[in-house]
C-alpha cells in the first residue's frame, strides 16, 4: 500500500482565494517511510502574501522570486502521487476513499483534544522542536509520524540507524533478518515443589489420553 503524506503553505488563510506557495510530500509504503520526498517552493505569480500567513510560515514574496509556478511542477507532482492514497491534516476533500484526514482520525481517537499537529506531537512524544515556523516538508515529516501513531502502526515506521539502513533509504522491516540464539545457561524454573505436585495431581485426574501426558512423553523422548 502506497500513501503520500502532504502539507502546503499558502499566501493567506482563505483556501477559496489564496495560492499554494510551498508543497511538501513524504512517501510511505506499507506504512513505512521510503525516504522519497517531493518538495517545492512555488511562485504565486504576483499574489500578495498576507501578513497573518507570513507570520505562520515565514515565507516572503522575496523568497519566492525565481521559483517555479504551480503549472511548472504540476506534472511532476501528479506523477509522484499517482496511484497513492493521500494523507493530510485538516483536509477538506470530497473523496474519503482517496484522501485520509488525520484531524478526523485524531478527533475520533481523542475526542477531548486538542488535536493540532503540535498537540499530537506532544501526545505521542514526537520531537517537533525544529518547528519554530510551519513548513510543508517538515510538517509532512511530523504528520507521517503522527499518522502512524494514530493508526497504531508505530513498528512499521521503525527507523534504522545508518549502519544498517541501505543507501537508497530505510529498509522494510520484513527484510530484516533477526536471529535469536539459545541461552548458554537456561533460566531456572520458577515453579515451587508444591506447585509441581499440585499440577501432577491435576493431570492424574485427566485420564491416560490427557494432552499433558503426551507432551511430557514427547519432551522426555526429545531429551
Amino acid at each position: 500500500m502506497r500513501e503520500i503524506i502532504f502539507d502546503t503553505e499558502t499566501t493567506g488563510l482563505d483556501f477559496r482565494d489564496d495560492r499554494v506557495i510551498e508543497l511538501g510530500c513524504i512517501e510511505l509504503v506499507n506504512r513505512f517511510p521510503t525516504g522519497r520526498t517531493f518538495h517545492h517552493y512555488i511562485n504565486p505569480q504576483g499574489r500578495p502574501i498576507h501578513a497573518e500567513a507570513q507570520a505562520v510560515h515565514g515565507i516572503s514574496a522575496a523568497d519566492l522570486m525565481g521559483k517555479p509556478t504551480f503549472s511548472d511542477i504540476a506534472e511532476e507532482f501528479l506523477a509522484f502521487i499517482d496511484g497513492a492514497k493521500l494523507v493530510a491534516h485538516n483536509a477538506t476533500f470530497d473523496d474519503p476513499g482517496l484522501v485520509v484526514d488525520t484531524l478526523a482520525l485524531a478527533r475520533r481517537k481523542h475526542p477531548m483534544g486538542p488535536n493540532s499537529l503540535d498537540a499530537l506531537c506532544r501526545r505521542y512524544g514526537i520531537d517537533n522542536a525544529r518547528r519554530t515556523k510551519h513548513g510543508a516538508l517538515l510538517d509532512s515529516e511530523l504528520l507521517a509520524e503522527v499518522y502512524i501513531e494514530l493508526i497504531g502502526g508505530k513498528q512499521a515506521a521503525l527507523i534504522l540507524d545508518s549502519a544498517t539502513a541501505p543507501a537508497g533509504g530505510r529498509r522494510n522491516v520484513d527484510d530484516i533478518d533477526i536471529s535469536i540464539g539459545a541461552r548458554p545457561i537456561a533460566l531456572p524454573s520458577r515453579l515451587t515443589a508444591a506447585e509441581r505436585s499440585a499440577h501432577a495431581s491435576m493431570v492424574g485426574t485427566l485420564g491416560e489420553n490427557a494432552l499433558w501426558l503426551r507432551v511430557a512423553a514427547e519432551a522426555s523422548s526429545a531429551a
Side-chain angles (χ1 to χ4, degrees):
M1 177 175 59
R2 184 168 175 266
E3 296 169 297
I4 300 296
I5 316 294
F6 77 96
D7 187 61
T8 63
E9 302 300 339
T10 63
T11 56
L13 306 178
D14 186 346
F15 71 92
R16 297 165 298 184
D17 187 53
D18 288 301
R19 296 292 180 266
V20 172
I21 58 174
E22 185 186 7
L23 175 59
C25 306
I26 304 292
E27 181 187 60
L28 302 184
V29 173
N30 295 329
R31 307 284 166 78
F32 188 88
T34 66
R36 290 189 67 213
T37 64
F38 178 91
H39 180 234
H40 277 289
Y41 290 101
I42 300 166
N43 190 321
Q45 297 181 285
R47 187 65 60 96
I49 298 176
H50 296 282
E52 297 89 342
Q54 187 168 336
V56 171
H57 52 58
I59 303 171
S60 69
D63 295 327
L64 301 174
M65 293 292 292
K67 301 300 182 184
T69 64
F70 189 83
S71 60
D72 292 333
I73 65 149
E75 290 299 323
E76 183 186 358
F77 172 62
L78 291 174
F80 187 82
I81 67 172
D82 184 45
K85 177 172 285 190
L86 304 179
V87 180
H89 199 64
N90 196 17
T92 304
F93 292 93
D94 294 330
D95 187 353
L98 178 64
V99 181
V100 175
D101 184 355
T102 51
L103 179 58
L105 289 179
R107 284 173 172 168
R108 287 198 294 269
K109 190 167 185 178
H110 310 295
M112 300 303 291
N115 288 308
S116 67
L117 182 56
D118 281 333
L120 291 168
C121 285
R122 289 193 297 271
R123 179 185 293 274
Y124 291 120
I126 296 168
D127 183 7
N128 64 341
R130 297 173 295 158
R131 196 181 189 239
T132 56
K133 292 282 187 181
H134 287 220
L137 187 60
L138 173 59
D139 285 3
S140 294
E141 291 172 350
L142 295 172
L143 184 59
E145 294 188 63
V146 166
Y147 173 59
I148 291 166
E149 292 283 2
L150 284 171
I151 60 176
K154 185 172 183 178
Q155 288 184 341
L158 178 66
I159 298 175
L160 304 176
D161 62 41
S162 58
T164 58
R170 296 166 183 159
R171 293 171 58 192
N172 191 304
V173 291
D174 293 334
D175 297 331
I176 302 171
D177 184 16
I178 300 175
S179 299
I180 302 176
R183 289 179 179 272
I185 301 176
L187 293 175
S189 173
R190 296 185 178 181
L191 294 175
T192 66
E195 289 170 334
R196 289 179 181 277
S197 177
H199 177 71
S201 297
M202 183 274 294
V203 171
T205 67
L206 300 179
E208 60 182 12
N209 294 322
L211 176 63
W212 279 109
L213 295 177
R214 294 204 302 272
V215 170
E218 290 172 2
S220 178
S221 299

